[in-house]
Amino acid sequence: MKTYQEGERFPGRIGRTWEESEPAFPVPPTAPKDAPNILYVILDDVGFGWCEPFGGMIRTPHLMQLAQQGLRYTHFTTTALCSPTRSCLITGRNHHSVGMANITELATGFPGYNGRQPQDKAGVPAMLHQYGYTSYCVGKWHNTPSEETTLAGPYDRWPTGPVFGFDRFYGFLGGDCDQWNPKLFLDREAVDPPRTPEQGYHLSEDLVDRTISWISQHHSVQPTKPWLTWLALGCAHAPHHVAPEWADRYKGQFDMGWDAYREQVLARQKEMGILPQDARLAPMLEGVQRWDSLSADEKRLFARMAEIYAGFVEHADAQLGRLMQFLEQTGQLENTLVFAFIGDNGSSGEGTLTGLFNEQSVANNVPETVAQNLARLDQFGQPNSYNHYPVGWAMAGNAPFQLCKQYTHFGGVRNPLIVHWPRGIQAKGELRTQYHHVIDIVPTILEAIGVEAPRTINSVQQEPVEGYVMNDSFNDAKAPSNHVTQYFEMLGNRGLYHDGWKIVTYHGRKPWENTARWGFDEDHWELYNLNEDPTESNDLMKGRDRAKLDDPMVKKLIELVGMWWAEAGRYQVLPLDDRFQIRALGRQGLYTERERLTFYEGSVRIQEFAGPDTKNRSWEMTAEVEVPAGEAQGPVVVLGGSSAGWSLYLQKGVPVFCYNFPGPEYTYIRGTAALTPGRHLLRYEFEKTGPEPFGAGGTGRLFVDGKQVAEGRIPRTVSVGYSMDETFDLGCDKGTAVSPEYPSNASFNGRVLRVDFDLKPDFHPDHDDPARKAEARFQHEMLRQ
């Protein structure tokens, strides 16, 4: 019987009846013979100096086994932030080229910054679909514009949309994720985790379970058909969540502190050959406390935070081991090309100088004290925490380099890469020192399969892939690096690698600060000869007269700075934008400004920005509920979670309003009588009375069927955001509970028919001037990763 490819002309014959005709069937595209499976394994916020295969002190035996049986790339770079790095990994193009200069929440209205992956630069799953691959996306995503992540769509830039091209998706859409109570999606449907934390649930385990399940089904049905799997664990992004027994494996092992840790890791890296013997530690960032200057209480608290982080990473490694064992047992590991990315950027310095129990504290300018956190030390890493270690550990985890995530020094952009492919790589346990960047992965995959990037995808002509192949180095340690020049830019921090040289700027904002302390024209360009100084420890411009144009180092700097500007123009890096919080200003028109809203039964998992904006204003809501016979229980309307939020719920039939301010500080406004069965109107009013434009307190009042039943004073309110990942829900509280008076993922045992909101138009009586109101509006809307 004749066959033909889809899109080709039908080669058979069509007559008056079937007897007079000749059939032909379209056949799906097929991969080249022996094409490998492709597996991305992506850890989040793990710096160069944390894990065992690259000299770190966190035990990762399964990553080590991959390294011993594969290759370790020691000069591999990322973009300094998660979403931009992932956009490069999935497209083979620079992050500004695909509009992903930053996380999607901080997008602005310029081509390199708008957060919208263009259709003419589709992802590798869409490319490989034309070559017979099936693709699975599991875990963290964070590459869909935030305003497109509601169930209202559009879905074009979801993982399973046409731009990226995955066939299946199971994971979370945002940047942060509670590992005990994640907000998950299966393809495009919001789903609950299969178990609770009390039943032993943890997200890393769930994601690997799903990965094994999908690959198992795939291999059972079509064992000769190759697959691509993107496994992006939430580990080790904050919150650092892991069972105590994993953290306890590291008791006392970080008591030496971050300064000594850096020195010990550098010694291990030299011993392993990761760095040359004459390599030096790059300088510690000014302002980070010396460990020996800390009090005993501070050392105890900060060391435990590192133990939890280390246990979190080792636990993730154990899940990776389960996946590798499954692939080996099913005969698939031999021909699976594995890329294990130990971090999508350097370690995170977003935990302030003293660490955090609840990230919403710093977001809402509510300081946490050492004494306060010591008192709840046993709760760190557990459900209802949202913890992050101090900046000092971020610097240590990036040893031997300087700075951290968000910065274009090597502490922010140099990450370990392990490549494992038994059938395609004969070398075992070797190091590779060739320079490469995250845009090089897609062309390397295409070369390994033996195909070219398609010219059209979904009938859209494609722009060229911008990366370079790494395949020459697979079996030749001395192969020249194909990638000679690479620019960097992140939040105004800039850099350029070129043929063994590096220039870089630190743009005047420390990790615990929100604003750059100088403009772009005042930036100090540093110059490093990486062949002599691989750790960026000796700035060749320090102390030099930059006006001496005959100085060879000044000439080199001028050459490389000019090259940076050329690359910036080529890849949509301009205009430079060093704003951090207020980059949400350019997105103001993307959200519907409504002061009267109605939500209907079934409205759940609505992200905070798409729900009712109840911050920094007076507001009221009215819920029409149907109370069941018997004892009515559970959440009626909720926004946020244990980190901060508010909830209207019934407790033994009695209406209660709880306001949870970061701390936590709970304010309860309680009715006095249980509701009778049948329909009722529950109304809550908040009258803002404080003088502050942001975070002011006020009076809350609770009404049942038009009659006031309770009143209370709320001293302070959230000014910026209730949560990193919690949502707005009717009839339930998805995720962690706003109030400890009901459990996580609780539901109302009656019905919530509708809820109407009346949001007062002014943030503050003094904000009558349009410019001031606009300023208040975008500050109110700003979102953090």
Side-chain angles (χ1 to χ4, degrees):
M1 184 177 293
K2 291 183 178 179
T3 61
Y4 64 101
Q5 297 293 327
E6 293 184 17
E8 294 179 349
R9 184 174 180 177
F10 176 66
R13 185 177 72 256
I14 297 178
R16 188 174 58 87
T17 66
W18 67 269
E19 293 98 336
E20 302 168 358
S21 305
E22 182 181 5
F25 275 93
V27 295
T30 56
K33 188 176 185 300
D34 295 328
N37 303 312
I38 307 297
L39 175 61
Y40 287 79
V41 175
I42 306 170
L43 296 182
D44 201 338
D45 284 9
V46 181
F48 193 89
W50 274 127
C51 291
E52 192 175 14
F54 286 78
M57 297 188 186
I58 298 178
R59 294 180 292 272
T60 51
H62 301 288
L63 284 172
M64 178 63 89
Q65 185 176 11
L66 281 178
Q68 290 170 342
Q69 297 175 353
L71 302 175
R72 276 173 281 188
Y73 283 80
T74 64
H75 202 176
F76 183 78
T77 57
T78 57
T79 69
L81 206 58
C82 59
S83 302
T85 288
R86 291 157 194 262
S87 70
C88 297
L89 287 176
I90 205 168
T91 68
R93 292 140 176 136
N94 284 295
H95 56 303
H96 294 86
S97 290
V98 295
M100 200 64 67
N102 204 276
I103 58 173
T104 62
E105 292 87 344
L106 297 183
T108 63
F110 300 101
Y113 294 75
N114 61 25
R116 282 163 169 72
Q117 176 81 27
Q119 294 193 24
D120 61 358
K121 296 175 182 176
V124 68
M127 298 180 196
L128 295 188
H129 182 78
Q130 299 193 22
Y131 295 108
Y133 276 71
T134 300
S135 56
Y136 306 106
C137 180
V138 183
K140 175 173 174 174
W141 183 239
H142 209 198
N143 280 86
T144 300
S146 51
E147 63 276 4
E148 295 182 5
T149 56
T150 71
L151 289 178
Y155 292 102
D156 301 54
R157 294 177 180 85
W158 281 49
T160 55
V163 176
F164 292 104
F166 285 101
D167 293 300
R168 301 299 306 272
F169 169 59
Y170 180 72
F172 57 99
L173 292 174
D176 296 52
C177 187
D178 190 309
Q179 304 290 298
W180 302 114
N181 290 283
K183 273 54 72 177
L184 297 171
F185 285 84
L186 175 58
D187 299 326
R188 299 174 181 179
E189 182 76 18
V191 296
D192 292 331
R195 299 183 305 281
T196 67
E198 293 74 22
Q199 296 168 327
Y201 179 85
H202 190 281
L203 180 60
S204 294
E205 298 172 14
D206 185 19
L207 296 178
V208 171
D209 287 346
R210 176 70 62 166
T211 302
I212 291 173
S213 173
W214 275 349
I215 295 176
S216 177
Q217 294 177 63
H218 176 112
H219 191 61
S220 298
V221 176
Q222 293 206 37
T224 61
K225 183 178 183 180
W227 47 260
L228 178 147
T229 296
W230 171 280
L231 174 59
L233 299 179
C235 177
H237 197 290
H240 304 152
H241 282 164
V242 74
E245 55 264 29
W246 288 91
D248 290 348
R249 297 182 180 202
Y250 290 89
K251 273 191 177 296
Q253 295 184 32
F254 295 98
D255 289 356
M256 85 290 275
W258 46 64
D259 297 312
Y261 181 93
R262 297 179 77 221
E263 295 172 355
Q264 292 177 25
V265 167
L266 176 61
R268 290 161 64 100
Q269 290 166 339
K270 291 180 179 180
E271 182 180 349
M272 298 171 69
I274 303 293
L275 290 170
Q277 291 300 310
D278 59 353
R280 295 182 294 177
L281 280 178
M284 178 67 94
L285 178 64
E286 184 180 352
V288 177
Q289 318 96 303
R290 287 195 56 81
W291 186 263
D292 58 15
S293 73
L294 299 175
S295 69
D297 282 347
E298 289 172 322
K299 290 178 180 178
R300 179 181 166 217
L301 174 63
F302 300 165
R304 183 56 177 172
M305 291 176 175
E307 293 167 9
I308 293 168
Y309 178 85
F312 189 20
V313 174
E314 185 176 351
H315 173 261
D317 178 79
Q319 310 319 309
L320 176 60
R322 289 196 298 121
L323 175 57
M324 294 302 126
Q325 183 181 38
F326 161 76
L327 293 177
E328 185 170 23
Q329 290 175 345
T330 55
Q332 299 180 79
L333 187 59
E334 177 74 15
N335 197 29
T336 296
L337 174 53
V338 180
F339 296 95
F341 304 95
I342 303 179
D344 51 3
N345 42 243
S347 294
S348 170
E350 296 161 358
T352 77
L353 289 167
T354 54
L356 295 165
F357 178 80
N358 176 7
E359 276 199 296
Q360 284 306 114
S361 297
V362 68
N364 288 284
N365 298 313
V366 183
E368 295 180 2
T369 67
V370 170
Q372 179 185 26
N373 283 337
L374 271 177
R376 54 189 177 189
L377 189 58
D378 291 344
Q379 301 173 43
F380 272 76
Q382 300 310 294
N384 298 317
S385 66
Y386 221 92
N387 49 304
H388 196 305
Y389 57 33
V391 170
W393 285 123
M395 302 301 170
N398 295 324
F401 308 122
Q402 61 179 308
L403 283 163
C404 56
K405 175 183 177 181
Q406 299 187 16
Y407 297 89
T408 52
H409 284 76
F410 276 154
V413 302
R414 194 157 166 181
N415 284 90
L417 168 65
I418 298 172
V419 180
H420 182 272
W421 183 23
R423 181 172 292 183
I425 301 176
Q426 283 71 53
K428 308 294 181 187
E430 295 183 5
L431 302 178
R432 294 293 183 265
T433 59
Q434 290 87 350
Y435 176 80
H436 282 290
H437 186 65
V438 279
I439 62 173
D440 298 340
I441 299 303
V442 167
T444 299
I445 289 172
L446 296 174
E447 180 78 7
I449 297 170
V451 297
E452 296 181 352
R455 294 185 179 182
T456 62
I457 295 177
N458 300 318
S459 302
V460 177
Q461 184 170 339
Q462 296 295 295
E463 290 294 314
V465 169
E466 296 167 358
Y468 300 84
V469 297
M470 303 167 58
N471 310 65
D472 294 347
S473 67
F474 282 177
N475 291 302
D476 183 0
K478 296 181 179 180
S481 177
N482 296 317
H483 198 142
V484 177
T485 304
Q486 178 61 46
Y487 82 92
F488 300 91
E489 189 281 331
M490 188 57 60
L491 288 163
N493 300 299
R494 293 174 282 166
L496 181 95
Y497 168 86
H498 178 70
D499 198 20
W501 292 85
K502 173 102 179 279
I503 58 168
V504 65
T505 67
Y506 157 67
H507 188 58
R509 180 182 64 82
K510 295 180 179 179
W512 54 90
E513 298 173 337
N514 290 330
T515 306
R517 286 173 280 120
W518 57 74
F520 291 109
D521 290 340
E522 287 75 49
D523 277 345
H524 168 89
W525 281 102
E526 302 167 20
L527 175 66
Y528 298 97
N529 181 343
L530 299 179
N531 295 320
E532 300 175 356
D533 176 24
T535 63
E536 296 177 337
S537 63
N538 179 30
D539 175 13
L540 296 175
M541 297 308 298
K542 190 173 183 179
R544 287 186 184 272
D545 183 351
R546 296 173 184 240
K548 291 187 175 181
L549 301 182
D550 58 344
D551 184 326
M553 294 300 101
V554 174
K555 288 182 178 180
K556 175 58 73 172
L557 182 72
I558 292 172
E559 173 196 349
L560 297 179
V561 170
M563 190 176 294
W564 186 92
W565 284 103
E567 295 293 286
R570 180 181 180 188
Y571 293 115
Q572 301 188 150
V573 182
L574 306 178
L576 293 176
D577 191 343
D578 58 358
R579 296 172 297 169
F580 183 63
Q581 293 177 326
I582 63 173
R583 272 166 69 153
L585 173 62
R587 301 160 62 75
Q588 180 179 334
L590 299 176
Y591 303 107
T592 303
E593 284 293 327
R594 295 182 295 165
E595 290 161 352
R596 293 184 181 275
L597 306 92
T598 299
F599 295 89
Y600 296 95
E601 187 173 18
S603 296
V604 296
R605 196 69 64 75
I606 297 173
Q607 295 202 36
E608 183 178 329
F609 68 85
D613 188 352
T614 59
K615 301 182 293 295
N616 306 308
R617 71 197 319 164
S618 297
W619 61 280
E620 65 180 62
M621 67 177 175
T622 302
E624 183 180 355
V625 300
E626 192 171 276
V627 176
E631 193 170 80
Q633 291 281 131
V636 174
V637 194
V638 177
L639 176 58
S642 62
S643 57
W646 54 257
S647 176
L648 175 62
Y649 56 98
L650 297 188
Q651 186 180 45
K652 296 183 178 180
V654 178
V656 181
F657 183 88
C658 173
Y659 195 90
N660 176 357
F661 185 79
E665 296 177 11
Y666 296 108
T667 301
Y668 293 96
I669 301 172
R670 301 180 186 274
T672 55
L675 301 182
T676 58
R679 295 200 175 186
H680 294 275
L681 291 179
L682 301 180
R683 189 168 91 247
Y684 171 77
E685 296 180 354
F686 175 71
E687 180 186 2
K688 177 174 176 265
T689 58
E692 304 87 358
F694 305 108
T699 301
R701 302 182 181 93
L702 191 58
F703 298 78
V704 175
D705 297 326
K707 180 181 178 180
Q708 182 173 330
V709 297
E711 180 177 309
R713 168 73 182 167
I714 300 176
R716 297 185 290 176
T717 59
V718 164
S719 59
V720 175
Y722 294 103
S723 170
M724 301 295 182
D725 63 341
E726 300 283 353
T727 54
F728 172 73
D729 304 295
L730 266 60
C732 58
D733 188 350
K734 295 290 186 184
T736 60
V738 168
S739 168
E741 294 189 343
Y742 58 81
S744 297
N745 292 303
S747 295
F748 179 47
N749 61 356
R751 292 179 63 193
V752 181
L753 304 177
R754 63 181 284 169
V755 180
D756 297 299
F757 283 85
D758 184 1
L759 309 174
K760 306 309 178 185
D762 293 325
F763 287 78
H764 189 271
D766 292 341
H767 288 183
D768 295 329
D769 177 77
R772 293 189 66 193
K773 186 176 289 189
E775 177 79 10
R777 178 73 65 178
F778 75 73
Q779 287 201 32
H780 175 66
E781 293 290 350
M782 68 186 178
L783 298 167
R784 298 180 71 253
Q785 182 186 13

